[in-house]
Amino acid sequence: MSEPVQTPQTFSTRIFSGIQPSGGMTLGNYLGALKRFSELQDRGVETIYCVVDLHAITVWQDPSKLRHQTREIAAAFLASGIDPKRSILFNQSQVTVHAELAWIFNCVARIGWMYRMTQFKDKAGKNAENSSLGLLAYPSLMAADILAYKATHVPVGEDQKQHLELTRDIAIKFNHDYGVNFFPVTEPLIEGAATRVMSLRDGSKKMSKSDPSDQSRINLTDDADTIAAKIRKARTDPEPLPETAEGLATRPEAKNLVNIYAALSGQSLESVVAEFAGAQFGSFKPRLVDLAVEKLGPITAEMSRLMADPAEIDRILGNGAARAEAIARPHMDEVYDLVGMIRARR
Ligand code: TYM
């Protein structure tokens, strides 16, 4: 489906990414996404970041918890270095273009594309007929998030790769159906040592905010003692750390902890392996605890400071929404025109 298209119209570099407020933030979200979001901002490119509350309600959310979680994710963005002056930070539902463009894309995308999404299959489980229609159409809204801004690059963890391929397919089909080069064919940015942080209890499962076991993940709200206890109990194997990174290939739990260390310290996997070659996990884990507490402690503290003033978070999200709307609305007006909708002056 994803054949390259000719794009005579050039698109200037613009980064967009989003995080769902469907629970607290995990170390996986931090290393796979948040940490890289602020690195991109600091490189000086245009960055737009969104707390995707409309996506969250594709599965049931208690309204008051959703409000709390939306503010908490916004606090996590700010605490990890997102500067609301240099980046645009807002929550999705405040910019109605997302929902409007998603409807257009629902009419461009094919149902079969949606049924093929592994995240839909995982989340819908055995009783797919009983899942919300929104859960099936989820990737169409995600494409709208990105393309409302004509974003060219999307930093995400590995688990979002298939959704981004679908975003590309939607852009290509829209451009083809309407005979235009209106939307860019977005590039995913899936880079670094921690594109897939795994559960601390099972090296074959990704670390996730929806895992029933809290021991499986480190939350950005965990205190130092909790982080230490979770890492101490993290599953490993009895072997010492290998001499080379290849020696981790068949040891998923060991590899995960080494990857986490590499991502937190900003080193490559190879250099961490070289540093700890031959060490037992009994000596590696306390080093990992120290590093995790050193890096995450200030973020957790800043998050709780910000959460003490929810009105200030709401103000930041409102300002961000106004700036986001100013970019997205003219694009949406052009889309309505391309599709053949009458827009009468009122
Ligand atoms: P979400 O909310 O599940 O996760 C937010 C980001 O964190 C990354 N991530 C991980 N990275 C490494 N290891 C892990 N264990 C891990 N768990 C999560 C995710 O890959 C993601 O980058 N559908 C998206 C939200 C979304 C979006 C968008 C993203 C909606 N619209 C537009 C980009 C662009 C999601 O559910 O992410």
Side-chain angles (χ1 to χ4, degrees):
M1 273 191 285
S2 299
E3 78 268 15
V5 286
Q6 296 299 313
T7 47
Q9 182 186 350
T10 51
F11 297 91
S12 49
T13 303
R14 180 177 279 156
I15 308 279
F16 180 94
S17 200
I19 297 187
Q20 286 197 72
S22 50
M25 294 284 287
T26 70
L27 180 66
N29 297 133
Y30 175 67
L31 292 176
L34 264 189
K35 184 168 180 286
R36 295 175 48 244
F37 294 173
S38 54
E39 289 161 4
L40 287 161
Q41 166 194 273
D42 296 344
R43 273 193 229 160
V45 277
E46 189 180 355
T47 40
I48 306 178
Y49 296 125
C50 185
V51 185
V52 291
D53 47 9
L54 295 173
H55 274 111
I57 61 164
T58 56
V59 297
W60 170 251
Q61 303 293 332
D62 175 82
S64 65
K65 278 195 197 146
L66 178 62
R67 256 187 292 275
H68 175 83
Q69 283 160 192
T70 300
R71 293 188 181 116
E72 194 170 83
I73 302 289
F77 271 99
L78 297 166
S80 63
I82 296 305
D83 170 357
K85 291 197 187 70
R86 284 186 289 154
S87 293
I88 294 179
L89 176 64
F90 70 107
N91 60 309
Q92 189 185 30
S93 60
Q94 293 206 69
V95 180
T96 55
V97 169
H98 293 247
E100 293 171 54
L101 187 56
W103 179 258
I104 303 287
F105 288 166
N106 282 344
C107 302
V108 171
R110 307 289 91 182
I111 298 177
W113 299 1
M114 303 293 156
Y115 278 125
R116 280 199 286 278
M117 295 293 108
T118 54
Q119 284 216 343
F120 173 71
K121 291 186 213 166
D122 290 349
K123 283 199 183 169
K126 291 197 184 73
N127 202 358
E129 291 294 310
N130 199 35
S131 60
S132 74
L133 186 53
L135 189 67
L136 181 64
Y138 180 113
S140 190
L141 178 60
M142 185 160 158
D145 297 340
I146 297 165
L147 297 174
Y149 303 92
K150 300 195 182 189
T152 54
H153 296 83
V154 181
V156 281
E158 179 71 40
D159 62 342
Q160 296 302 315
K161 192 168 178 224
Q162 198 187 25
H163 285 158
L164 289 184
E165 279 160 9
L166 192 64
T167 298
R168 292 164 63 90
D169 292 333
I170 289 176
I172 291 168
K173 188 166 185 301
F174 182 96
N175 286 347
H176 177 267
D177 289 354
Y178 292 99
V180 287
N181 269 293
F182 188 73
F183 287 120
V185 180
T186 305
E187 291 291 336
L189 294 176
I190 303 173
E191 300 162 335
T195 56
R196 192 169 171 80
V197 177
M198 308 309 279
S199 154
L200 298 179
R201 309 300 302 157
D202 177 350
S204 68
K205 275 178 27 193
K206 110 179 153 168
M207 183 181 285
S208 162
K209 47 196 157 195
S210 55
D211 193 310
S213 161
D214 193 57
Q215 296 300 312
S216 70
R217 63 180 161 261
I218 291 172
N219 305 300
L220 283 194
T221 46
D222 286 345
D223 61 20
D225 290 344
T226 311
I227 293 176
K230 285 179 177 175
I231 292 179
R232 263 200 310 275
K233 281 201 219 117
R235 205 154 129 193
T236 44
D237 56 45
E239 301 298 314
L241 283 154
E243 303 291 323
T244 63
E246 292 78 68
L248 289 170
T250 54
R251 301 171 59 188
E253 282 91 9
K255 184 169 182 191
N256 188 36
L257 295 186
V258 178
N259 266 334
I260 292 173
Y261 191 101
L264 281 171
S265 64
Q267 285 171 269
S268 67
L269 183 67
E270 288 71 21
S271 75
V272 179
V273 171
E275 187 180 337
F276 289 98
Q280 296 292 337
F281 275 97
S283 59
F284 176 78
K285 280 182 171 179
R287 294 281 301 277
L288 179 58
V289 168
D290 289 347
L291 179 65
V293 170
E294 177 201 324
K295 298 288 181 187
L296 302 180
I299 297 175
T300 311
E302 180 62 3
M303 276 174 72
S304 59
R305 192 190 69 77
L306 291 161
M307 286 300 279
D309 189 357
E312 174 61 8
I313 296 180
D314 295 0
R315 195 191 60 77
I316 291 171
L317 292 174
N319 280 348
R323 287 166 63 205
E325 168 94 24
I327 300 172
R329 180 53 63 191
H331 293 161
M332 192 64 220
D333 287 343
E334 278 186 80
V335 168
Y336 281 132
D337 189 45
L338 286 170
V339 170
M341 306 282 167
I342 293 172
R343 313 287 287 161
R345 237 182 244 286
R346 275 178 287 181

